[in-house]
Amino acid sequence: MHADLAYTHPVPKAKRAGHEVALGVDWGLNTLLTAGTLRLRPDGRITALGAGGQFRAAGVLAKQHRLRRQSERLNAKADHYQRLIDGRPDEHLRAKHAVLRDEIQHVSARRTNLNDALAWAAARWTVDQAIAAGASVIYLEDLRSMEAKGMGATMNTRLSQQVRGKIADRIRHLAAETGIAVVTVPARNTSKHCPQCLTPLRHRKAPDQPTVAGWKWAICPHPSCGWQGDRDHGAWRRIAARGLTHQAKTAIDKTSGHMVIRSVVDTLEAAAVVTPTTKASGMDRSKTGPTPRKPARPAPRRRRAPSPTRPHRRAGKRPEGHAPTDRRLPRAAHRHQNVTTTSTPTTGHQARGAALGAGFHLHAHATPPRWETIPETYSDTGSLS
C-alpha cells in the first residue's frame, strides 16, 4: 500500500530588509544562469565574495531547441494537411493528420518534462549557492521587463520559450524552506554599466575566442577603474548591488505575493557600486601581457670543509674532491681524472656510454679540493676533542 500524506513543518520567515550578504542572479541565453554573492559592509561599502559561477546547461538547451524545431515542423505539416482536408475531404489525409496530432502531443510532453527537470536543477543550484555563501536574500531580474522583441522571429521564439518563469517559481519554493528571501529588481542597464564605477561599458569579442563573433566581453573605459570581464558577471554584480542599496524599497506584490523592488532611485543607485578588493601582494596578476619570468633558483651551496677521516677504512664519508688511492677505479681508469686536473681523454678514445664514465659526461670537471686544518683526533661519537 502506498499512502501520500500531506504534512507541514515550520520554516524561518524571510525578511524584506536588513540583508548583509546577497546572491545576484543574471539570466542568459546560452549560459542559463550566472550568479555570485556580494557583502554589504558596516561602512556602506559593497565587496564581492569570489568571482561567481555559471549554470551552463548547453546539452539540455540543445535538446530543447531540437524538440522545439521538431514541434514547429510537425505543426506546419499538420496545418498544411488541415488546409487540404478543408478543400477536399480525404480519409487517407485524415488518418495522416491524426498521426501528426498524436506525435505533436508526444513531443510537447517531452518538452514539458525536460523544462521541469531543467527548472528544478537550475533552482537547486541557485539556492545551494546562496546557502554555501551564507546569503539571506536572492536578487533576480524582473522578468516582466525582459520581453523578447526586435531580434528576429527565431531569436524571439527562443527567448520567449525559456523556462525562466518556472526557474523563478522553483527558486522561491526551495528558498522558502531555509528562510531565504527572493526579490526581483528592475533589469534596466544591468549589463550596460560598469559594476565598479557605473560608467557605460564597451563590449567586444571575448579574448579567449577571438574568432567567434559576439559581444560577451565588457571593458570599462574609465582610466581609474579598468574593470573588464564577462558581461554576465558584471550583470550579477549590478543586480546584487542594486538590491542591497534598495532593500528598504522592497514591497510585497498584492497580486502574486512576491517580494519586488519596483523602481530605481537615482540617489541609491549612485551608491550601488562594488568596491574592488585589494590585492594581497604588489604583483599585478592581470593577464594583460605575458607572465613575467621568476628568478632562477640559485645552486645549492657545496660543502666547504672535507669530512674528517676515521682510523678504520670503511667508516665516515669521503672528503670532498678525494678519490681512493688504495684501490683501482675500474670505470674511470682511462679518463685521467684526479683531484686537481680536468678530463683529458686519450687520442682515439671512444666513449662506451655508462660503462666507462659511470653515467657522467666525459667533459665533466673534477672539483678541486679546498683544504682546511683538520683536528688531529676525532672521537667515535663524532665530537671534536
Side-chain angles (χ1 to χ4, degrees):
M1 178 183 294
H2 297 278
D4 187 5
L5 302 178
Y7 69 96
T8 59
H9 60 93
V11 296
K13 184 179 180 180
K15 55 183 181 180
R16 289 188 290 178
H19 305 289
E20 296 181 358
V21 181
L23 180 76
V25 181
D26 176 65
W27 306 102
L29 182 60
N30 296 322
T31 303
L32 189 58
L33 296 177
T34 306
T37 52
L38 297 182
R39 179 184 294 276
L40 179 62
R41 303 290 179 180
D43 56 358
R45 295 184 301 112
I46 300 176
T47 57
L49 302 179
Q54 292 180 331
F55 183 82
R56 305 178 66 91
V60 179
L61 293 177
K63 186 175 182 180
Q64 185 187 52
H65 295 326
R66 287 196 300 269
L67 291 175
R68 176 186 57 82
R69 291 192 295 267
Q70 183 180 0
S71 178
E72 292 174 354
R73 288 193 296 267
L74 291 175
N75 280 281
K77 194 172 184 179
D79 292 342
H80 180 64
Y81 280 179
Q82 185 64 45
R83 288 193 298 270
L84 293 177
I85 293 173
D86 294 340
R88 187 183 61 181
D90 189 347
E91 295 299 329
H92 184 64
L93 288 179
R94 290 183 183 276
K96 288 187 176 182
H97 186 264
V99 172
L100 283 178
R101 286 300 176 188
D102 293 339
E103 183 65 20
I104 290 173
Q105 293 181 359
H106 175 67
V107 173
S108 299
R110 292 181 60 188
R111 295 181 63 188
T112 302
N113 295 335
L114 187 62
N115 290 340
D116 289 339
L118 180 60
W120 279 115
R124 182 74 270 174
W125 177 84
T126 305
V127 177
D128 287 345
Q129 296 292 321
I131 294 175
S136 58
V137 62
I138 298 175
Y139 289 113
L140 303 175
E141 287 182 295
D142 192 355
L143 297 177
R144 293 176 300 177
S145 61
M146 301 180 66
E147 182 181 358
K149 58 183 179 179
M151 301 184 68
T154 303
M155 186 61 66
N156 289 342
T157 304
R158 291 180 62 185
L159 291 173
S160 300
Q161 294 183 358
Q162 289 286 337
V163 292
R164 294 170 178 169
K166 288 186 177 181
I167 293 176
D169 293 338
R170 305 301 191 271
I171 289 176
R172 292 188 180 94
H173 177 78
L174 296 177
E177 187 177 2
T178 56
I180 299 177
V182 180
V183 184
T184 58
V185 299
R188 180 170 58 92
N189 294 333
T190 53
S191 299
K192 182 180 179 181
H193 291 167
C194 174
Q196 294 184 175
C197 63
L198 303 182
T199 304
L201 296 170
R202 295 176 181 173
H203 297 89
R204 58 190 62 185
K205 296 179 181 179
D208 58 340
Q209 297 178 346
T211 59
V212 178
W215 302 94
K216 286 282 290 179
W217 196 257
I219 297 178
C220 179
H222 200 281
S224 62
C225 178
W227 181 86
Q228 60 176 329
D230 193 292
R231 60 178 298 174
D232 293 338
H233 284 281
W236 70 254
R237 286 176 170 84
R238 295 276 294 114
I239 294 169
R242 177 176 292 176
L244 287 175
T245 55
H246 289 75
Q247 55 182 304
K249 299 293 183 180
T250 304
I252 304 296
D253 187 75
K254 295 181 179 180
T255 304
S256 60
H258 301 155
M259 297 184 185
V260 296
I261 297 176
R262 292 190 174 90
S263 60
V264 177
V265 182
D266 293 338
T267 56
L268 298 177
E269 183 71 5
V273 293
V274 181
T275 304
T277 56
T278 57
K279 297 182 175 63
S281 62
M283 183 187 303
D284 184 12
R285 299 182 63 87
S286 60
K287 293 300 293 181
T288 57
T291 303
R293 291 183 176 274
K294 295 182 179 181
R297 182 180 177 183
R301 297 181 60 183
R302 296 183 179 180
R303 189 172 66 250
R304 293 183 177 276
S307 300
T309 58
R310 295 293 184 104
H312 42 281
R313 174 180 171 183
R314 296 183 180 274
K317 296 183 179 179
R318 191 171 65 201
E320 178 187 8
H322 269 285
T325 57
D326 57 344
R327 62 184 182 276
R328 185 181 179 185
L329 299 178
R331 288 194 168 187
H334 302 290
R335 294 177 60 185
H336 306 287
Q337 290 188 355
N338 52 31
V339 296
T340 58
T341 61
T342 59
S343 174
T344 54
T346 316
T347 304
H349 174 71
Q350 299 293 331
R352 295 197 300 274
L356 290 180
F360 294 97
H361 198 276
L362 289 179
H363 299 287
H365 293 264
T367 303
R370 289 182 287 271
W371 299 103
E372 293 187 10
T373 303
I374 301 176
E376 296 181 357
T377 59
Y378 193 87
S379 62
D380 293 336
T381 58
S383 61
L384 295 175
S385 59

